Amino acid sequence: MARSAHISALAYALLLSLVLGSCGGELSVPVDGQGSALEAPAHFVKLPREVTEQATVAKADLGKRLFFDPILSADSTVSCGSCHLPELAFTDGKAIAVGIAGRRGQRNAPTLANLAWAGDGLFWDGRSPGLEAQVSDPIHNPNELGSDWATVISRLRGQADYQKAFRSAFGASALIDSSLVKEALAQYQRALISAESKYDRAMRGEAVLTASEARGKHIFFDSSAELPDGECGHCHTPPLFTDQTYMNNGVQEQSGSFEYADAGRGGHTGIRFDNGRFRVPSLRNIALTAPYMHDGRFATLEEVVAHYNRGGHPGPNVDPKIRPLGLSASEQADLVAFLKTLTDTAFVEYHSRSKNTLQ
Amino acid sequence: MKLLSRFSLLALSAALLFSACGGTDDNTAPDTGRITLNATATYGSLPLVMFDQNYDYEDGMQFQMQLFQTYLSDIELVYMENGAEMTEPLLDVALAEFGDIYTIADAEAGIEVVKTDVPARNYTALRFGVGVSPALNATVPPDYEVTHPLGQNYWEDANSYIFFKFEGNADLDGSGGFQDKLTFHVGGDNNYNSIEFTGAIDIAPDGEAVLNLNFDMEKLLIRSNGDYVDFRQVRQAHSNTAPAAVFMGENMPNALSLTR
């Protein structure tokens, strides 16, 4: 049996999202709560029309309400928003996330910006096929919300407010169940679109990068013969600043051939050659999402850049583009300055404010 | 989750479109057959697998693969009608990725580039381009949906898609270490190659033709006159003009063979 060219879970996940649901919009002004509101920024890859056409503000608003409601956790103390804070571009500022009863998880909480485009698996290891399916994981994870669907659904059904909100989002006969909760949360998250950083404005000619930021951009994209190549843009490809692949960037030390403390992608696929690979994270709003990497090992962007400049730990599947870069101290500072242009203040402010305006 | 590729989806929608458009009262079975184009990669006679094989290279060097991928554009069959040359388009663009080929069995099976129904005919050639055709290379990812092959691999500073990538790790001194990293990315209209394989491709009604296109990395890296990409001198090229990129771009046609 021949494989298909570029078969990725991406196509499957998108298909799944088409079959399963519709999309919520957030940034546009809700008119009647039913308008379609999910639109790709002009410089982004398009979202499938079937996805955008089905977007409704009402579902996204319901999703927002669920996202920030600790009712989803076993002891009603933790919400999705406890680990994914809008102020920190939907991260938590901790190296390793902490859930109910102070329980520590395994990994660092990633940003949730621009996940509408993330088709080839979610989580650092890509073990979840899409935003709807993903919801079950934090609900059940004992180190996160530590609950179960039966409890969650009976609590939600017990609240007249929620019954009303589900009916206005999903129709008069809607009965609260896990699939509607998943859909609403997915719609809220699809609407978390970040595309208005200084970098974006500079690309449109509406802002000017400082000399240091501009040098950092050249290093990032290997685009100047006068400056060393940083190789960053190969994996952190604009406009999403991720190429949606799984890579080993040499942060972990090998304990044996293809053996790592956290196997990452390999732990999910069972393929030895995937051990030590992690989903390439988006660098949008990266200045707000410290500490860094799947285990939060680096506290600052300076430490991250120093890591890449050293070339990381050796390993057979460490990507060939991870190699000693030879950046001087000032070139490293330039690279950090460029990374800071990826902060989208409007995105962060809008979503921090809007979490308090629940319907 | 290898159920549907974007290409079979595309072919499917094309088929739907065709059947929708062709919905006449005519009840006779359509005179169509099926064509499948597979792609494989080798290093000489060895199947190309990622990581698991050391390939002997020139002058005592060895290397292991980590990635090979390439775009194919304007894939079409050629036929003659009333003395005029006609073409039957199969697919506008595909991305053949070999990055997850880890076993010899997978390498030998290859990658399905396109599988579609075409009018039954005696075709005379297969035509395609390696890389992204100039017309498509003038487009950008925001022109496409996220699942489209051209929704990625764009290289803004060169205004081009990256046509093909060859990445791996080399052992330059026979130490067995494979510490030297190879990254060759080639793009730019100047590195686009139009290819034609002539020879009968007969497709009978309800018949099937299976073609296999092979990419031989040995021939991509080593010219018939003995010139080769010397990893001791150059290990990175991310360019349309760097000598190693141009060398590989020029060499690509030599690296191809078609079996049917």
Side-chain angles (χ1 to χ4, degrees):
Chain A
M1 251 292 283
R3 301 174 175 217
S4 299
H6 196 95
I7 344 126
S8 60
L10 191 63
Y12 173 73
L14 275 160
L15 200 74
L16 197 75
S17 57
L18 298 190
V19 174
L20 289 184
S22 45
C23 291
E26 242 269 338
L27 283 170
S28 72
V29 185
V31 182
D32 55 2
Q34 298 295 334
S36 165
L38 192 66
E39 212 178 303
H43 58 307
F44 276 31
V45 184
K46 290 188 193 354
L47 291 168
R49 195 186 315 149
E50 298 82 349
V51 167
T52 54
E53 269 175 358
Q54 292 173 27
T56 78
V57 172
K59 288 176 197 168
D61 273 347
L62 171 59
K64 176 172 70 179
R65 178 175 183 160
L66 291 164
F67 191 90
F68 293 104
D69 194 338
I71 194 171
L72 298 186
S73 67
D75 60 2
S76 296
T77 58
V78 175
S79 71
C80 310
S82 307
C83 299
H84 300 288
L85 286 74
E87 299 74 31
L88 300 177
F90 294 88
T91 64
D92 60 0
K94 301 185 175 101
I96 301 291
V98 178
I100 54 163
R103 287 190 207 140
R104 254 172 76 89
Q106 319 274 326
R107 293 182 180 148
N108 178 263
T111 180
L112 303 182
N114 300 332
L115 291 184
W117 285 268
D120 204 2
L122 289 171
F123 290 127
W124 287 100
D125 52 13
R127 68 185 182 278
S128 178
L131 282 170
E132 281 81 2
Q134 189 275 341
V135 174
S136 280
D137 191 286
I139 297 274
H140 290 110
N141 191 325
N143 303 320
E144 296 186 358
L145 302 172
S147 190
D148 57 76
W149 279 118
T151 308
V152 168
I153 298 308
S154 83
R155 285 187 188 165
L156 291 173
R157 284 184 185 167
Q159 294 205 5
D161 262 16
Y162 266 120
Q163 291 194 4
K164 201 171 141 232
F166 273 86
R167 280 197 299 268
S168 69
F170 292 105
S173 59
L175 181 65
I176 299 175
D177 66 6
S178 64
S179 79
L180 295 187
V181 173
K182 290 178 186 177
E183 191 179 339
L185 279 166
Q187 303 317 336
Y188 172 61
Q189 294 176 87
R190 284 205 180 91
L192 303 177
I193 297 175
S194 177
E196 280 298 314
S197 64
K198 181 176 184 184
Y199 162 82
D200 299 287
R201 290 195 302 278
M203 294 301 282
R204 289 199 305 260
E206 293 163 14
V208 179
L209 298 184
T210 66
S212 171
E213 290 164 355
R215 282 193 301 273
K217 178 171 178 273
H218 279 306
I219 295 169
F220 191 95
F221 291 114
D222 304 1
S223 55
S224 164
E226 277 83 60
L227 290 164
D229 291 345
E231 311 281 10
C232 321
H234 295 284
C235 300
H236 300 288
T237 314
L240 296 171
F241 286 86
T242 167
D243 66 353
Q244 319 256 28
T245 61
Y246 295 85
M247 295 283 187
N248 184 343
N249 69 343
V251 288
Q252 291 189 97
E253 201 164 353
Q254 262 199 139
S255 53
S257 182
F258 291 103
E259 278 170 30
Y260 291 95
D262 186 338
R265 181 68 172 158
H268 170 63
T269 64
I271 296 169
R272 186 165 68 100
F273 305 115
D274 279 337
N275 288 351
R277 285 175 165 169
F278 290 84
R279 181 148 146 261
V280 175
S282 171
L283 299 186
R284 284 192 173 270
N285 302 299
I286 194 70
L288 304 176
T289 66
Y292 302 107
M293 305 298 168
H294 69 273
D295 53 5
R297 67 174 58 208
F298 297 131
T300 63
L301 287 174
E302 285 75 11
E303 285 177 40
V304 171
V305 168
H307 153 76
Y308 282 110
N309 198 37
R310 284 191 302 271
H313 293 292
N317 68 350
V318 172
D319 190 85
K321 294 173 289 296
I322 304 297
R323 56 177 175 84
L325 300 173
L327 305 180
S328 69
S330 74
E331 285 160 350
Q332 293 183 54
D334 293 339
L335 193 46
V336 171
F338 173 67
L339 293 173
K340 290 181 177 166
T341 69
L342 300 176
T343 302
D344 180 348
T345 314
F347 167 78
V348 170
E349 284 178 356
Y350 177 86
H351 289 289
S352 308
R353 253 193 345 266
S354 93
K355 80 169 179 190
N356 299 319
T357 57
L358 300 176
Q359 287 190 337
Chain B
M1 203 38 70
K2 315 224 156 180
L3 295 179
L4 281 174
S5 76
R6 59 188 61 168
F7 307 105
S8 38
L9 275 175
L10 216 123
L12 191 76
S13 36
L16 291 180
L17 209 82
F18 267 96
S19 55
C21 300
T24 63
D25 297 341
D26 186 354
N27 271 337
T28 56
D31 282 342
T32 60
R34 171 158 292 200
I35 175 117
T36 303
L37 177 65
N38 284 328
T40 52
T42 56
Y43 183 77
S45 58
L46 297 171
L48 196 78
V49 296
M50 304 302 118
F51 300 112
D52 229 9
Q53 173 79 46
N54 302 346
Y55 298 104
D56 289 328
Y57 194 49
E58 296 291 273
D59 201 18
M61 292 183 274
Q62 285 196 317
F63 71 90
Q64 295 174 342
M65 289 299 295
Q66 187 148 348
L67 177 69
F68 175 64
Q69 67 174 47
T70 182
Y71 280 103
L72 298 170
S73 301
D74 293 346
I75 307 170
E76 57 192 27
L77 290 171
V78 181
Y79 63 98
M80 299 299 288
E81 197 169 82
N82 305 324
E85 187 186 280
M86 311 286 281
T87 55
E88 182 68 37
L90 302 181
L91 189 63
D92 56 351
V93 63
L95 176 61
E97 281 183 296
F98 294 85
D100 62 351
I101 302 282
Y102 301 116
T103 65
I104 289 181
D106 281 351
E108 286 173 342
I111 291 169
E112 187 181 292
V113 176
V114 55
K115 180 179 207 152
T116 184
D117 287 344
V118 288
R121 280 192 193 107
N122 295 330
Y123 294 94
T124 56
L126 174 75
R127 229 182 243 163
F128 58 91
V130 183
V132 177
S133 68
L136 290 174
N137 204 28
T139 64
V140 291
D143 294 330
Y144 301 98
E145 285 186 3
V146 58
T147 46
H148 191 280
L150 297 179
Q152 56 179 321
N153 293 306
Y154 194 70
W155 178 13
E156 287 186 6
D157 291 293
N159 293 316
S160 173
Y161 284 89
I162 300 170
F163 291 178
F164 64 89
K165 297 183 181 176
F166 174 100
E167 299 185 5
N169 300 289
D171 175 1
L172 304 180
D173 54 9
S175 66
F178 295 93
Q179 261 113 19
D180 290 284
K181 315 202 165 201
L182 309 173
T183 312
F184 297 98
H185 290 187
V186 181
D189 288 348
N190 57 311
N191 288 308
Y192 183 72
N193 285 296
S194 298
I195 311 284
E196 178 168 323
F197 283 103
T198 49
I201 302 167
D202 296 337
I203 301 178
D206 285 330
E208 179 166 15
V210 178
L211 306 178
N212 190 75
L213 177 66
N214 187 60
F215 294 84
D216 182 346
M217 298 298 112
E218 190 174 27
K219 292 193 173 134
L220 181 67
L221 296 166
I222 308 170
R223 240 174 227 159
S224 52
N225 69 2
D227 290 351
Y228 62 95
V229 180
D230 188 348
F231 297 151
R232 293 196 180 103
Q233 309 296 326
V234 54
R235 291 181 287 282
Q236 277 101 31
H238 184 59
S239 164
N240 49 352
T241 53
V246 172
F247 181 98
M248 291 169 85
E250 284 174 3
N251 242 9
M252 182 54 98
N254 309 327
L256 299 176
S257 58
L258 189 76
T259 49
R260 53 196 103 194

